[in-house]
Each structure stands twice: as C-alpha cells, then as structure tokens.
Amino acid sequence: MTLFDKHRAVFERAQLACAERHCWSPFPEMPSKYPDTAAAQAAASARFQAQLDRPFVLDQPGTVGELGEEVSPYTQQPLGIRYPRADVDGLFAAAEKAMPAWADASIETRLGVLMEVLDTIYREHLFDVANAVMHTAGQSANMAYAGSGVNALDRGIEALVYAQMAWNAVAPTARWQRQFGSAQITLDKTYRRVPRGVAVCFTCASFPTWNAWPSMLASLATGNAVIVKPHPAAVLPMAISVRAFRGVLQAAGFDPNLVTMALDSVAEPIGKTLVQHPKTAIVDFTGSARFGHWVERHAHPALVFTETAGCNTVVIESADDLDAALRSLATTMCMFSAQMCTSPQNIYLPRAGVRTLQGVVPLDDVARRLAEAIDAIGSEPKKASMILAAIQSPQTLALMTQLQLQLQLQLQTEGARAGRVLLAPRAYTHPEYPHARTSTPLLIQTDTTQRALYGEERFGPIGFVIACDDAADALAQATTDVREFGGLTAFLYSQDEAFIATAEAAYARAGAQLTINLTGPMPLNFAAAYSDYHVTGLNPAGNASLTDLSFVASRFRIVQSRRPAAMS
Amino acid sequence: MTLFDKHRAVFERAQLACAERHCWSPFPEMPSKYPDTAAAQAAASARFQAQLDRPFVLDQPGTVGELGEEVSPYTQQPLGIRYPRADVDGLFAAAEKAMPAWADASIETRLGVLMEVLDTIYREHLFDVANAVMHTAGQSANMAYAGSGVNALDRGIEALVYAQMAWNAVAPTARWQRQFGSAQITLDKTYRRVPRGVAVCFTCASFPTWNAWPSMLASLATGNAVIVKPHPAAVLPMAISVRAFRGVLQAAGFDPNLVTMALDSVAEPIGKTLVQHPKTAIVDFTGSARFGHWVERHAHPALVFTETAGCNTVVIESADDLDAALRSLATTMCMFSAQMCTSPQNIYLPRAGVRTLQGVVPLDDVARRLAEAIDAIGSEPKKASMILAAIQSPQTLALMTQLQLQLQLQLQTEGARAGRVLLAPRAYTHPEYPHARTSTPLLIQTDTTQRALYGEERFGPIGFVIACDDAADALAQATTDVREFGGLTAFLYSQDEAFIATAEAAYARAGAQLTINLTGPMPLNFAAAYSDYHVTGLNPAGNASLTDLSFVASRFRIVQSRRPAAMS
C-alpha cells in the first residue's frame, strides 16, 4: 500500500469539504479527545523539559554554528535551546540538489508523503508542538493544541487539496493533428509541470504553524523545496516541524534537504538576504506589515505570498441582544491577548448610540458595558489565563504604555474630546505561571479625529471605541480604514437587513472577511479550515489567501515538448 | 435565449479541447474558407481606405485631444488616423463606475457577452482587424487573418474557459455547523468573488491582438474592467477591438466603459503613469524585455502578467534529413521577418558538424545550407512577400546595420575567428507594395566567445549560427542563454533518444517550450490555442502563460460573509 493509499480516504473527504466548505476535520478539536491524552501530554512535557538548555538535534547541511534566543512568555526565562546556524548558500545548494527526484515523483507520491508528515506530526509531535508554541508564542495550552495544532494540520491538508486540483488541471500528454496545406501533421505533446524552485517560508512569533504548514505544503506538493525562516523568538515549533518533515521525507526515500531551517537572530537578521537570494523562487511571508510590504516590493523575480496585518474593524449599528454581542466581542478581543492577525481592534459606533429592542443605548454606555465585559475576563485569573494567555513580546507592553502617553499628550493639547482610557492595562497573575508576561487589555474611547491613534495595527490587547457621526459614517470609516491600512476580518451587528446588505458590499470592496451578528461561545474570529478563506488579497493586509487556487497554481509552471508522433 | 445559451455549444467544445489539448477551432484557418470571403474582404478594404486620414470614432469618456502617428510598413506612408487622447484619470473613474454591475452579473452572463464579442469580431470585423494588423505591424494578409485573427480569437475563448474553471472552483454558499462547548453554532456563509479592479493591458507593435484578447478576456470574465494601452505604432487593431467590445457590452445592457483605450505617443509615453496609477489593479504587458522588467518591478501592488522576449534557441545534434530540418528552420526564421516572440534566433551547433545518415556534415556546410535555404526565400519576391512580409519598425533595419558594424569591429580586433556574415540583408521588392519596408535576413556565423553579439533578443530577421565544442556544449550553451536572457521557444534536431531526453530535461529547467525533429509545412513556432502553452514564467521572457490557471485565478479574490443561520 502506498502512502497515498494509506491516506486516500482522509484526502478525498477533505476534497469534499473544500468543495462544499462545510465543517469537518479528521482530528479531535479538544486535547481531551486525543488518544490517551494524559500519557501523550506527560511524555511531551518530559521531552520539552529535557530539551531546555540543550542543542536541538537537526541534522541538516551547512551548519556553521549555533543560535538561540527564545524566552518563554510563561516563565520569562530563556529556553536555552541552541539551534544550528546554517550557511544560507549551503541550504540552497542542498535544496536544489534534493528537488529533481521529488519533482519527478508523481503528485500522488508527494501527496502521500506529505499526508504522512501531517499524520506523523499529529500522532507523534502534537503536544511537542503545543508546548513549543506555548513557551515561545505564549498561547494557552488549549489554543496551542487547537489553533496551532489540529487546525493548522487541517489548513495543511486543505493546501494539499488545492495543490492537487491545480496540478491535475494540466493534461500530462496529448496527441495533436492538423492539416497544413496537403500535409497532415501529427504531434505528440508532453506537458511537464515544473516546480518553480526553492521556497523560503517566513514564520511569525505569535502563530507560527498555522500559516507555515499550508505554505510549506503548497510548495512541497507542487515539487518545490522549502527553507523555513522562523522568527528568532519562536523557533522551536518550526524546528520540530522541520525535523518531522525531514524524517518522513527520508523514510519515504527522498532527500530530507527538501525541508531545512535558516535561523537568524534579532541582532543579525537574514530576512533580506533570503528574499533577494538569486536562488529564491517563492517567498511565503507571515509577519509584520512593514517588512511584509518590503518583501512584496523586493522579492522580484521570486513569487510572493504574504499575510501581514491590519485594522480589524467592528461596526455596531443595532443589536437585539447587545450584551450578548458585547460579551462575544470582549472574549474575542481578549483571546490570546489579541495577538492574532484576525483579532478585532477598532469598534466604530454611531455617536447617538446603538439601537436595541429596549431603545437606543448611548455610546458611552455601550463603551462602558464593553469595558466591563473585558474587565470581567481580566479580573478572574483562571479565566484570564485561558483566554488572555501570555504576551509574546515585551515590545507589546511597551506599545501599550506608549499609546497611553500619546493619548495623554492629545488630551493636553486638544482637551477631553481627544478621548479617554476606558480600561488601563495591568498584569494579571497567571495561576500556573506566576512569572508569566501578562496584561489585561488597554481600551481607549476616542473619535475619528484621532485616526493617527488607531489607523494601523496596534499589535496586542489594544482596542479603540470610535465615535462616528452615524451608522453610515461608522461603516464608511471602518471600510476606508481597511482599504487604506489593511484588514483581515470585520464584524458587524445590525438588525437592519438593508444596512447589512450595504455593509456586505462595502466590506467586499474593502476585502475583509465579515462576520455578522454572531454571539455565543464561538470566538468571532475563528477561521475554519476547508470553509473560511483567510485574507483576501484586496487590501494591504496580505496578498494571498488560505487557501484558494491562486495560492497554489503559480507554484509550478508548465513546460511542454512536442515532436512528430511515431506513426504505426 | 441568453447569450451564453447561444454560445454554449462552442464554449463546451472549447472546454473539452482545453482538457484534452487536441487540435480544434470553431473558425476556418484560411481566409478562403471564411463565408463569402471576397465580399467580406472588399468591404473591409473599403472601410480601411475610408478610415485613412480621418478621426477614428471611439465614443469613450475623458477625451482631451487627438493622437495618431501610425505609418504603414507596406506603404511607408502615415495612416493619418487620429484617435482620441484620453484623460487617464477619467478612464479609471469611468471604469470603476462601470464595474459593479458587471461584477454582480453571473459568470455565465459575462461569458455569454464575451463570447458574443469574439463572435462579433469574427463575423463583422475580422478583415478589418487583418487590414489594421497588416498596415501597422507589417504582417502578411494570411498571417494577419490567422495569427492575429482566428488564432487570437481561439486564445480568447481559451482564456474564458480557464476563467470559468477558476471562478467555479469557489462554492458560492455553504452552511457550516459545529459544537462549541454545549452550543451548536450554525452559520450561513456567502463567498463573493470580487474582481481585483481596473486592468491595464499593454499591447505590442508586432502582434497586438494575440496576447491582448486573452488578457482582456481573462480580466473581463472575472469581473474587472480593462484599459487598453496600445503601442503607438499599432493602434488601429486595438481601436477596432475596443470599439467592438464596447458595442457588444452596451447592447447587452452593460456600461461600455468596461473597455476603453489610453493612447500615448512615442515622444510622450504614459506607460509608467498607467502602471503606477493608484487605481491600477492588474497589468498585462506584452512588449520589450526592458520595459517589461521595469513593469514587473514597479507595478506593486498591482498584479503583473508579462510576456516579453528572449533568445529562442535551436540545437542541432543530428538529423536523418538535414535539408528538411534546415528548410523548416529557414522558413520559420523568415516567417514575418522573425518579428515574433517565438521566432528562433540562435542556432547552436557542434563544432565538428552534424551527424546525418550520410555521415557528418561539417559545421560550415550546415551553415551554408541554412543560408542557402533562407536566401531561396528572400530571393523570390512572391514567396518573400508571403513569408517575410514587412518590417514593422525602421529601428529593426538600424539594428541589423549596427550588428554588422559590431561584427566588423570584432573582426578587426580578433580576426576571422570572431565570425562572419553568412547572409547580408537587403530590401526585397514586394510585388504588391513597391514601397514596403522589407529586408531579407541577416545571418551571422560565430562562436561562443561572441556571446555579447547574440546573448539577447535581436528583434527582427537576425540569426546566429554558433559553433560550440560539441553537442553537449551546444545544449548547455543554449539552455544557459535561455535561463539568463530568457527564451520562449526552443528547437531540437537529434536522432539520439538519450540526447533528446537530456535536452527535454534541460529545457524544462530553463523554461522554454521545446519542439523536436519537426519538419514539413508547419511553422516550427506555431502555437496552437487549447494545446500549446505560451511562455512558461520560468525565465526572464515573461512571468505568465497563455493559458493556465495561474493566468486567471488571481484576477479575482474571495470575500466571505457569514452569519448565524435563520433556523426554521
């Protein structure tokens, strides 16, 4: 039985899910449903502890030293793990050497190997990945298992489905016959699908695997090799991933150097070198908007897929259950301390207030009730630890301080109309990790005169309640900000179907994925593999989408040869 | 009956051809098979004559003057046609205004209208287009009918097939249900396919319609608007096209400003302004490699599809019928005076000669016999007029003179080993157009020390016979030149299956479409719609391919909205 045969049933089920975009996963969503959870978690914890302060064994070529500067957001202590520092040219050379046999294999062979990689990560490394994500990104254990574990595996399978679709849209051979004058010409044609080359996959500090795995799989499925460039603050999740890919590739008879890791440090970044390396054919980038835009402009002739960041917007026009809406919003704004590219940041409200079944609720009341709902999460350490989790980077805390100072300055020059702090952030004490880097959210109330304050992604648990002239202005402000500054997700509460239709059209033009009137336990920004498209490519928050055909179709090219048919 | 119903049978037949890549066309390949040819040609000629020295009526917005500097390569007289000069911002504003209704129409509606456009061009304007191409590009009447007429229509239909495939890969709606804790969440999701925006389509002087129509149709089918920017030397074919598109769009109830034309002059080009216009979302570019590379680097954030130029290479290792091979090569090198991006330019030969059934033919003999075969075409005016046709630009003649001078200088410094002129160009007298701008080819014999001479596209009837160490070196030189300087097509003659396999792999890596051992009446560089992929995107000769999924899949994006389902 081939590896593809082994995974065929799951793959075909995934194809159906992608076509119909319903809810499906081959994996249990909760850690408690994982086979023999306790033992698996205990073993992974032991491996994690044993890895601390030691070299990470990654047998890849071109090693020229060691690097490692990770600090756990939960202990604020260095992990002390030392990773191989690679000679970049050596990695490219090894990747190029590895590619031909991989590219020559059938798509089914490659899909089988890559499904086996995902299955191996699930069976053998899922809690390793989860621990690694917790202690680098700062996610809660549950999010690290789900969002960075099984959901990321699902996004990987999804990428394989689309890669196969694009690949198989090309006929491998054809016979072509035509008259030219009195002669009949018969040609046999062969259409080779040729991988573009070596892909470089940049992964981010707060959510490394969820974007990385589908990007890596899209490149690998179409015959390319991948060099992973992790953020220096979150290496371990990717080091484990790279080692797993390499192991399965090698076991399947392929060159493990199809997947390697190029690490740098904050002091000596190698990102630009990698993007402009003459052998770089594809760049996948997840990270800051600033470097992402540089990558988009400077990667030519390499192909570029980016997912950066933007202002995720909320418009509340009216609500039948305002408290339910505000509770959902509060939870989502607190989720992983809003360190997700999909976290809502800017809430645009009509100055006159929000219509409800009980009458109009004044804007200040809406703001206060939202602040209370957020505060209720931050005030309860156990709840806070599960929802807010930890802060990945000290820079996030510095930004929160800086924004409060900025607002104070505005207040001095412009008076009270500049805005006010609805919630001042404070550290909360994590019940299991007393030294964890934590913060409750900063919530600022302001109006559209203070666009400099909120008119960009403010990474971390930072929200703005923005007074607008009316609902139409709120929608116009929100969608204008998305078009100008980027935006991945958007959220709307309205009981007015005409307003909803207008908002859907406006957000479609702005290119943000819109969630309408959702309340209840589902995080508003939850993006489901096989169903929800992530990033539209229509605004500055990124040019690629997980996963559509354009995410995969250009990762390989078609080169034909044709010759007169041997006539029998 | 809708327009799509009217054209459904042809469209579905084209889908089959794209899937199987066999030979098919709904159009007659030869002018003589066109319904009532003589009358159609006579009417078109009369319309052409009546258009000379008059304004071209193109009722589009933002007209701020007149422009027109076309000169017929057949008469070397100005056409005197004056076209509207448009205010660029006005065209973008009109295009943006026109888009929403077009984007909201169903894909079948758009495909129906666009199939009707192609059918209208075929029925009403085909000989108008052919005359226009003859008297701007300099093509022969037969090539203008076939290559710039029906074959270009076929490439247009092909683009529609792929656009529909990518579009319909996206489910329009879904219902999604999942448990979150004890709550069941049911969401209805809508996936809007949103066009990227206004596309700018640059068309070239020598072969305007063949690239333009598929690019325009790929953008339009996916809901975008198109501004056509013709080369100032070849406006009329695109002006006729734009008017035809506008007429059919308007008759179908859509805003004709979905398709407009932005003209410039050689003295005051507007290309960079268009590429960097804030409203430009897509750029399709056919033209010079130099400007094409600028476009690729500077169009961000617009999406870019380019087809430029390169060194198209020929390797002759061995041949069973060398004369047949050289005849085919000579004809193809003469075809439209090699003013096609697919024309062969560089012929790499083993220094020891070419193996044939009759023994090894020394390199000098091969070169001489090729020169004789080319000379036989150029020496017979009727044949020359049908094959060589006319020279589009006086710059081509200047380049031929410059190359001969360059070689003379090399001879003075390096002696005879620098090379020699095998065929010196001369004007031939066109039997119907005695004032036509014509030239027989320049053929130079040299070796690999003179790479500066042949290591780039030398546009026009210019060929190089290049002595290499042996067959392996010939292949290595040729594919290295393709990788470095670009190359769309490649040609190989070999009776050695191992060598052929090596060459196929080498050209696949270099990214040139390879034709092997073809002799007979089919032009070696003939590219058939629905079957031959044009450009690979793997080397500097362009980044797009006519037509694969990646040519269409990113011209629209997916924006979703989701909301709790109304439970009955």
Side-chain angles (χ1 to χ4, degrees), chain B residues 139-162:
Chain B
Q139 293 179 14
S140 71
N142 275 0
M143 177 177 279
Y145 170 89
S148 297
V150 290
N151 296 353
L153 293 173
D154 279 325
R155 290 248 94 130
I157 296 176
E158 186 184 23
L160 295 181
V161 168
Y162 282 91

Side-chain angles (χ1 to χ4, degrees), chain A residues 56-60 113-126 128-129 153 209 213 216-217 220 228 236-252 254-261:
Chain A
F56 185 95
V57 178
L58 186 64
D59 179 24
Q60 68 176 29
V113 172
L114 297 170
M115 287 292 288
E116 179 72 10
V117 168
L118 294 174
D119 190 46
T120 301
I121 291 175
Y122 173 70
R123 284 183 294 99
E124 299 181 11
H125 308 295
L126 197 64
D128 297 330
V129 169
L153 293 173
T209 60
W213 290 346
M216 294 170 72
L217 291 167
L220 288 163
V228 175
L236 188 57
M238 295 318 302
I240 293 169
S241 305
V242 167
R243 192 160 64 184
F245 273 85
R246 290 173 62 82
V248 175
L249 283 163
Q250 188 151 38
F254 292 99
D255 188 331
N257 295 332
L258 288 164
V259 180
T260 57
M261 187 171 83

Side-chain angles (χ1 to χ4, degrees), chain A residues 504 513 532 536 557 560-561, chain B residues 504 532 536 557 560-561:
Chain A
E504 284 186 293
Q513 310 293 18
D532 290 316
T536 67
R557 309 302 300 161
Q560 71 180 51
S561 64
Chain B
E504 284 186 292
D532 291 316
T536 67
R557 310 300 302 160
Q560 71 180 53
S561 65

Side-chain angles (χ1 to χ4, degrees), chain B residues 310-323:
Chain B
C311 300
N312 297 322
T313 59
V314 183
V315 173
I316 310 181
E317 184 270 334
S318 55
D320 66 345
D321 185 345
L322 183 61
D323 276 324

Side-chain angles (χ1 to χ4, degrees), chain A residues 82-391:
Chain A
R82 300 182 301 279
Y83 303 92
R85 175 186 192 146
D87 167 57
V88 165
D89 289 335
L91 294 188
F92 277 100
E96 285 204 331
K97 186 159 165 285
M99 273 180 59
W102 179 244
D104 282 348
S106 72
I107 179 88
E108 289 205 345
T109 299
R110 287 197 301 273
L111 291 173
V113 172
L114 297 170
M115 287 292 288
E116 179 72 10
V117 168
L118 294 174
D119 190 46
T120 301
I121 291 175
Y122 173 70
R123 284 183 294 99
E124 299 181 11
H125 308 295
L126 197 64
F127 288 104
D128 297 330
V129 169
N131 282 321
V133 169
M134 272 188 75
H135 287 283
T136 54
Q139 292 179 15
S140 71
N142 275 0
M143 178 178 279
Y145 170 89
S148 296
V150 291
N151 295 353
L153 293 173
D154 279 325
R155 291 248 92 130
I157 296 176
E158 185 184 24
L160 295 181
V161 167
Y162 282 92
Q164 193 242 25
M165 194 187 303
W167 189 272
N168 285 347
V170 181
T173 60
R175 176 158 287 194
W176 183 91
Q177 290 194 303
R178 214 197 94 169
Q179 288 292 127
F180 282 85
S182 60
Q184 163 122 312
I185 301 283
T186 305
L187 298 178
D188 279 340
K189 303 187 182 187
T190 304
Y191 307 97
R192 290 172 190 240
R193 284 147 292 186
V194 176
R196 205 174 258 274
V198 181
V200 175
C201 178
F202 288 81
T203 67
C204 69
S206 52
F207 234 112
T209 60
W210 197 85
N211 290 78
W213 290 346
S215 299
M216 294 170 72
L217 291 167
S219 286
L220 288 163
T222 48
N224 305 281
V226 178
I227 297 173
V228 175
K229 209 307 273 175
H231 191 288
V235 182
L236 188 57
M238 295 318 302
I240 293 169
S241 305
V242 167
R243 192 160 64 184
F245 273 85
R246 290 173 62 82
V248 175
L249 283 163
Q250 188 151 38
F254 292 99
D255 188 331
N257 295 332
L258 288 164
V259 180
T260 57
M261 187 171 83
L263 187 56
D264 60 1
S265 62
V266 169
E268 289 181 75
I270 60 169
K272 291 187 177 182
T273 305
L274 288 169
V275 169
Q276 300 197 309
H277 195 282
K279 293 191 174 173
T280 297
I282 301 171
V283 178
D284 285 277
F285 178 83
T286 314
S288 74
R290 202 166 64 169
F291 191 53
H293 294 159
W294 185 91
V295 172
E296 290 174 5
R297 284 180 183 277
H298 294 90
H300 176 81
L303 198 66
V304 183
F305 301 91
T306 62
E307 191 243 273
T308 57
C311 299
N312 297 321
T313 58
V314 183
V315 173
I316 310 182
E317 184 270 335
S318 56
D320 66 345
D321 184 344
L322 183 61
D323 276 326
L326 295 176
R327 266 198 313 274
S328 273
L329 209 46
T331 306
T332 307
M333 292 174 77
C334 287
M335 187 67 63
F336 186 30
S337 294
Q339 296 168 104
M340 289 185 277
C341 53
T342 53
S343 302
Q345 174 184 296
N346 292 351
I347 302 164
Y348 302 76
L349 296 177
R351 198 178 294 277
V354 170
R355 290 189 303 112
T356 71
L357 295 180
Q358 292 75 40
V360 173
V361 179
L363 184 144
D364 284 352
D365 283 10
V366 178
R368 179 182 48 75
R369 281 153 72 174
L370 175 65
E372 285 168 4
I374 292 173
D375 197 46
I377 294 166
S379 304
E380 212 181 298
K382 187 162 161 46
K383 199 183 248 184
S385 73
M386 292 177 64
I387 298 178
L388 285 161
I391 301 289

Side-chain angles (χ1 to χ4, degrees), chain B residues 375-532:
Chain B
D375 198 45
I377 294 166
S379 303
E380 210 180 300
K382 188 163 160 47
K383 198 182 246 182
S385 73
M386 291 176 65
I387 298 179
L388 286 161
I391 302 289
Q392 197 278 319
S393 165
Q395 288 175 18
T396 300
L397 301 179
L399 171 65
M400 294 165 79
T401 304
Q402 178 237 306
L403 282 171
Q404 291 175 83
L405 288 172
Q406 198 173 326
L407 181 63
Q408 272 182 8
L409 283 173
Q410 292 292 99
L411 289 171
Q412 283 166 17
T413 56
E414 303 187 33
R417 68 181 197 86
R420 62 190 171 114
V421 171
L422 289 166
L423 280 176
R426 61 177 194 286
Y428 78 85
T429 305
H430 195 286
E432 290 165 67
Y433 297 96
H435 299 291
R437 187 187 299 124
T438 66
S439 178
T440 62
L442 165 64
L443 189 65
I444 289 173
Q445 182 175 343
T446 186
D447 68 16
T448 54
T449 62
Q450 307 301 316
R451 202 170 175 221
L453 212 52
Y454 63 78
E456 64 179 276
E457 186 200 37
R458 301 299 196 174
F459 189 77
I462 300 164
F464 300 90
V465 175
I466 303 155
C468 304
D469 292 345
D470 51 27
D473 184 46
L475 178 61
Q477 295 282 344
T479 52
T480 302
D481 288 349
V482 169
R483 277 203 299 274
E484 192 164 331
F485 308 118
L488 287 82
T489 57
F491 308 91
L492 170 69
Y493 291 92
S494 174
Q495 297 300 306
D496 177 344
E497 288 298 332
F499 189 81
I500 290 175
T502 304
E504 284 186 292
Y507 274 114
R509 279 196 300 279
Q513 309 293 18
L514 182 62
T515 299
I516 304 164
N517 291 339
L518 182 58
T519 57
M522 173 176 151
L524 298 176
N525 62 343
F526 180 81
Y530 317 109
S531 183
D532 291 316

